[in-house]
Amino acid sequence: MIKKNWMYWMFFLALFLAPFYLTEFRLSLLGKFLCFAMIAIGISLIWGYTGILSLGHGVYFGLGAYCMAMYLKLEASGGRLPDFMEWSGVNNLPWFWKLFEHPIISISSAIIVPVLLAMFLSYFTFRNRIKGVYFSLLSQAIVVVFVTLFIGKQEWTGGTNGLTNFSTVFGFSLSSPLTQIVLYLLTVVLLLSMFLFSRWLTRSRFGRVLVAIRDSENRVRFLGFNPTTYKVFVYSLSAAFAGIAGAMFVLQVGLISPAMMGIIPSIEMVLWVAVGGRSSLIGAIIGAIVTNGAKSFFSENYPDIWLLFLGGLFIAVVLFLPNGLAGVYQSVKQRKKQGEVRANEASSHVLQRVSRF
Amino acid sequence: MKLKGNGLKWLGLFLCGSLLALSGCAASSAVDEAKEKKKESSTSETSDTVKVGILHSLSGTMAISEVSLRDAELMAIEEINESGGLLGKKIEPVIEDGASDWPTFAEKAKKLLQKDKVVTIFGGWTSASRKAMLPVVEQNNGLLWYPVQYEGMESSPNIFYTGATTNQQIVPAVSWLLQNKGKKFFLLGSDYVFPRTANKIIRAQLKAEGGQLVGEEYTPLGHTDYSTIISKIKDVKPDVVFNTLNGDSNVAFFKQLKDAGITPKDLTVMSVSIAEEEIRGIGGDVLAGHLAVWNYFQSTDTPENKVFVEKYKKKYGKDRVTSDPIEAAYFAVHLWAEAVKKAGSFDVDKVKKAADGIEYKAPGGTVKIDGETQHTWKIVRIGEIQPDGQFKELWNSGEAVKPDPYLKSYPWAKDLMN
């Protein structure tokens, strides 16, 4: 097992050791990308394995991020009203903001709130057998609803500016390099646990049902399974991943605004998974990191024309790597297997011939 | 067996490749960074150049506005370099793309300060982008020059604001309208922080100065159907529509207003986000007769402005126009240069200290840095839009108005901040 998967371990080891070979700035970028990779794992689970294309994961990411950000904002305001409330004419802290004074509530709600929304949405849609493109459209509508709500309720959410300008988390300064390294390592640990859990899940009986739902939902139903339960579970799981990603994102980037939960970021999330390979968990992680890495790299070096490079990358992936980066790896593996099979066939032919004699 | 060996090798290569990419393509630059780290203390002013950052959206929805600011800043840097540089050093601009995306602004600001070690940044347009950069420049003790009019209520020790705050644009415009156009106001804005904050101030001011609010409407950014709102306006018959719409919505609103048969003679529309560049997009004939309030117009008659406009057009094309934010971005670079000269150093703290009271003869008139708020004293101007897309100035404040981002000197504004 260990020998077979040495690449995985090498990959995560490289991530763990990153603080030693990356500068502070690059490390913070990588930390951000790893948060995106968490979302990518969730999308790979629902899209690659179960066949649900959600174009609305920005909402779950955003909700997780806002839950964390509310706590940080209160801590930064030090008992006074957050600055944006002051100039939006709010005199008292709203009751639901008060809850977020407690770190445990805000951290757990960063997972619970997205999961509740995902369960609510997915239960009613999947129970009514709404799927395919209709579900994708519905998930986009949710994005629009939430973005409009968050922009409109400026006195509660900070409007388009969002929540920013945090100072400390649990009393530790967010700008100190040590806090950033700890947060980074925490991100890697979380990513690794999500990866291992998803891997275990997809290889279990449960995972096989998911793939079966993707390939033929009706057959699964006729076999006596209830696809709704499975789909609701896996969809809520991916929302939980996105929520955790949002919380870690806010801690490391120090900023969340409705623009980050909008339609374009939501579609971008699907794009990362497409680049990496949607039915491969590690592919999704690598896709998120490579795409965002390329974005940073190109925009730093060619600020005027970087979008062309990025567009070129996407077109190249779609044209030449239909199964993403992971597909390349799999086709190499398959070729290797085919070669072995052919060799076996050849030898068995020889044997048969020999035995005939 | 041979194939297997190859496959593994290939995989190894692929993994290495993705690892390289995964570190934000850092592996290659990590070496450079390590080198840079060694000479860290000397910041970016090592040889005979000094690096400054320019951070605007060169792609995305804001690019159409922000690219011109970059051009104006580059022109100012070129001017300084041509006249011998600063403290014997040439200024080297490092350009980054904020991509109309707020976390990207934070990321790039961090990169400019930590990796390039720029001595200052010129950048931003939207409030959201400024709010995203604010913690980054404060934590890294950097310097940011923000050149666009905004909603006030902010004064970061690491930001200089060269655009107007509310008391240099909105407040005087409302007073002028009350005296010259009528008491009944209708407020219309895009749904985001600037219009909501601006309208809050206007409401308080109307109450104090005897105006009357007959309607207040917000539409999402990018909204293009204004028929409902226009019929509401027809119903309540305001004397003035105070327009804080942003972007494409203005095109739709003014076209539909004209189609509804409402002319500037029936109803005055005062805008705060429509400058020469936007008029070019909407069309001078549609807007002609409506008003806007700024600190600078391309048509402002000063000797400095003649030179500025001529130079800008010569450099970037005859069809280009200058506008208030372009002018503010341009003189921001010169104000910084003056402060550096006075300080005799590029050090952020020294430059900040030296900046108090620095004056510069900007195209729109002399501007002065107010050390306390780090905003600039500016002349306020109200102009009427002409069919050729230029402004005819109707009124100006005569002398520069002291910036007051928290409206402390206005008794009626007390309740705004609790």
Side-chain angles (χ1 to χ4, degrees), chain A residues 227-279:
Chain A
T228 310
T229 323
Y230 287 86
K231 284 167 92 176
V232 169
F233 174 80
V234 76
Y235 189 75
S236 309
L237 182 68
S238 78
F241 285 2
I244 297 171
M248 293 312 295
F249 177 88
V250 161
L251 285 169
Q252 294 181 82
V253 179
L255 163 71
I256 180 70
S257 82
M260 275 164 261
M261 52 200 283
I263 286 183
I264 292 173
S266 297
I267 292 176
E268 261 179 46
M269 290 167 187
V270 174
L271 214 54
W272 306 331
V273 180
V275 167
R278 60 179 179 151
S279 39

Side-chain angles (χ1 to χ4, degrees), chain A residues 175-205:
Chain A
S175 55
S176 94
L178 190 67
T179 319
Q180 284 300 323
I181 288 177
V182 171
L183 285 173
Y184 170 80
L185 291 176
L186 183 63
T187 313
V188 181
V189 171
L190 284 170
L191 183 70
L192 180 63
S193 2
M194 286 179 193
F195 171 69
L196 290 177
F197 178 71
S198 308
R199 211 166 108 90
W200 169 78
L201 196 70
T202 51
R203 295 190 170 195
S204 67
R205 203 176 107 99

